[in-house]
Amino acid sequence: YNWNDVVTYLRANHSLKFGASVDRQHDLDNFTPSYARPTFTFGNALDFAQDMPLTQSGPVVDTRTGLLAQTVYTKVHMTYIGGFVQDDWKVKPNFTLNLGVRYEYYGHLAQIDQGGTPSRFFAPGAGSTFNEQIANGSMRTTGNGLVTTNTPQGFMPRIGFGWDVFGDGNLAVRGGYGIYLNRIGDLSYVVSTNPPFGSVALDIRNGQKLNFALGTPNGLSFPLPPGLQFQLNPAGGLLGTPINVKGLSPVIDPPRVQVWNLSVVKRLTNSLVLQADYLANPSDNLFLHTNGNRFAGDVLQQNGTRSRVT
């Protein structure tokens, strides 16, 4: 559900606005039909013609049974709360000041479970470099399937002004500054195939065997790759088998953008206006969505063999 409301209150030379928003989202998706099908890539058209794939991603297996996952059903609950107050204050007939503040609360980003089982996320471990943190990382469960251990939130001040310098409409100066917290894209952090469900990732360049097949007509039964063990290791992955996992830093701050602007407008004639503007928007706490296992020179340093830091 979603609720929004804005109230405006006028008093003397003040125009006050108050607003609030509550957004509660539920996403209930059955991913089984898509994740039960493996995806193959081929190095060239000749390999494709000879049914010789290069890599295989999937199908998804249930590590609790060691069999093809029969139900990959993800439930996501997201909560967002926001509110603001703004005062447009006419200090003088030719000068207006805009003051405001906004508050936004993102909760733990989301609460996610897989068929009633709280979702597990990959979290970086100890280390002085990013690669070391990835190599020492492990799967984690935060609360009852919560994405983060903290609750991303913050206050955002806003200030602006408009000045008719001589009070005759011939020269105007406007400016403002504000801080904006950007919402993380809904569902960008959602996982559907982290353990206990695992999507196998195989590559013949690593000496792994692939099982290229079309599956049954209903699309929910594919032969599993030969020689694989579907058991969990101490880090929460599959024993002796690479799988694709997804995670987010357990403690995270929302992306922040600072916006500056200054504008000078001079009326030269009734039909000609000269305007100069300055705009700036420095930002921090930005996110990087990437494969943490990759590193520069990966394939070249390993003589064509694709290696990983974990």
Side-chain angles (χ1 to χ4, degrees), residues 265-275:
V265 182
K266 179 67 171 80
R267 184 173 67 177
L268 301 179
T269 67
N270 290 335
S271 59
L272 182 61
V273 174
L274 180 65
Q275 179 171 331

Side-chain angles (χ1 to χ4, degrees), residues 2-133:
N2 182 278
W3 174 79
N4 296 276
D5 197 11
V6 176
V7 177
T8 301
Y9 175 69
L10 301 177
R11 181 178 176 84
N13 54 349
H14 291 270
S15 176
L16 295 171
K17 292 183 179 180
F18 307 86
S21 175
V22 178
D23 188 5
R24 176 66 171 173
Q25 300 182 30
H26 301 270
D27 192 294
L28 312 176
D29 286 322
N30 183 1
F31 293 101
T32 306
S34 58
Y35 284 123
R37 298 180 175 88
T39 299
F40 298 92
T41 64
F42 298 82
N44 52 60
L46 184 60
D47 286 349
F48 177 72
Q50 299 181 88
D51 291 340
M52 297 173 57
L54 182 67
T55 67
Q56 175 180 344
S57 176
V60 172
V61 296
D62 189 336
T63 59
R64 298 168 294 187
T65 63
L67 302 174
L68 190 72
Q70 296 300 312
T71 303
V72 184
Y73 203 100
T74 299
K75 299 179 181 179
V76 183
H77 306 280
M78 296 169 286
T79 300
Y80 162 79
I81 300 174
F84 78 92
V85 57
Q86 177 181 320
D87 182 14
D88 296 330
W89 177 19
K90 199 170 187 63
V91 182
K92 294 181 178 181
N94 65 330
F95 185 82
T96 301
L97 188 62
N98 312 109
L99 301 172
V101 63
R102 183 178 181 88
Y103 168 75
E104 291 189 348
Y105 171 83
Y106 306 102
H108 292 276
L109 295 188
Q111 182 182 30
I112 306 172
D113 69 73
Q114 299 162 320
T117 302
S119 290
R120 308 177 78 200
F121 299 86
F122 178 82
S128 58
T129 66
F130 179 69
N131 283 355
E132 291 177 352
Q133 294 171 8

Side-chain angles (χ1 to χ4, degrees), residues 9 50 61 96 103 125-126 131 157 188-189 198 214 230 238-239 258-259 264 271:
Y9 175 69
Q50 299 181 88
V61 296
T96 301
Y103 168 75
N131 283 355
S188 63
Y189 38 77
L214 297 178
F230 300 108
L238 285 181
L239 184 63
Q258 301 181 64
V259 178
V264 178
S271 59

Side-chain angles (χ1 to χ4, degrees), residues 108 110-112 118-121 123 139-150 248-251:
H108 292 276
Q111 182 182 30
I112 306 172
S119 290
R120 308 177 78 200
F121 299 86
M139 304 303 296
R140 64 175 175 87
T141 300
T142 301
N144 189 22
L146 303 177
V147 177
T148 62
T149 57
N150 70 326
L248 194 70
S249 176
V251 179

